[in-house]
Amino acid sequence: MDQLTQIRAICLALPESTERLSHGCPTFFVRGKTVFTTFTEDAYDEPGHTLWCPAPTGVQEELIDAEPERFFRPPYVGHRGWLGVRLTVDPDWTEITAIIRDAYRQVAPKKLVAQLD
């Protein structure tokens, strides 16, 4: 299974999530409005596949400091705490799933988040 297919399966399994292109990239939304994950390919000076998503407070800095080869601050949204994940560096799909679910929890309405628990 290719990486976009795996990301798509994780994202679209979340309640009321949808996918459409945004800025030329496959992007996943809650209720068609709020972005919780963007998949890029050779974009914005990052080679290969990457994932961008909102992260809980402090997580972006913690992960970038711990593993700068895997995690980065994405342009345009990084200043708001979004996390960039390089999928070219041996992705751990259990961890990627947790990152995406945390991103969803950051932006989804409480009623939808409650469906995850």
Side-chain angles (χ1 to χ4, degrees), residues 13-16 31 101 104-105 109-117:
L14 297 169
E16 297 188 40
R31 292 187 171 163
R101 289 174 67 89
Y104 181 90
R105 289 175 192 278
K110 290 178 184 179
K111 182 178 179 181
L112 295 180
V113 171
Q115 293 179 32
L116 299 179
D117 299 326

Side-chain angles (χ1 to χ4, degrees), residues 20-68:
R20 70 175 184 272
L21 289 179
S22 180
H23 304 284
C25 300
T27 303
F28 300 88
F29 297 81
V30 177
R31 292 187 171 163
K33 297 179 187 176
T34 307
V35 176
F36 70 95
T37 300
T38 298
F39 178 88
T40 71
E41 182 174 1
D42 297 321
Y44 306 100
D45 297 324
E46 275 295 330
H49 295 154
T50 66
L51 186 68
W52 299 7
C53 49
T57 303
V59 169
Q60 179 203 67
E61 288 180 14
E62 180 183 321
L63 290 176
I64 292 170
D65 287 347
E67 295 184 75

Side-chain angles (χ1 to χ4, degrees), residues 1-4 6-7 10 87 90-98 100:
M1 184 182 307
D2 71 25
Q3 291 179 330
L4 176 56
Q6 289 178 280
I7 297 296
I10 295 164
L87 299 176
D90 193 27
D92 173 343
W93 289 102
T94 300
E95 180 181 45
I96 298 296
T97 300
I100 291 171

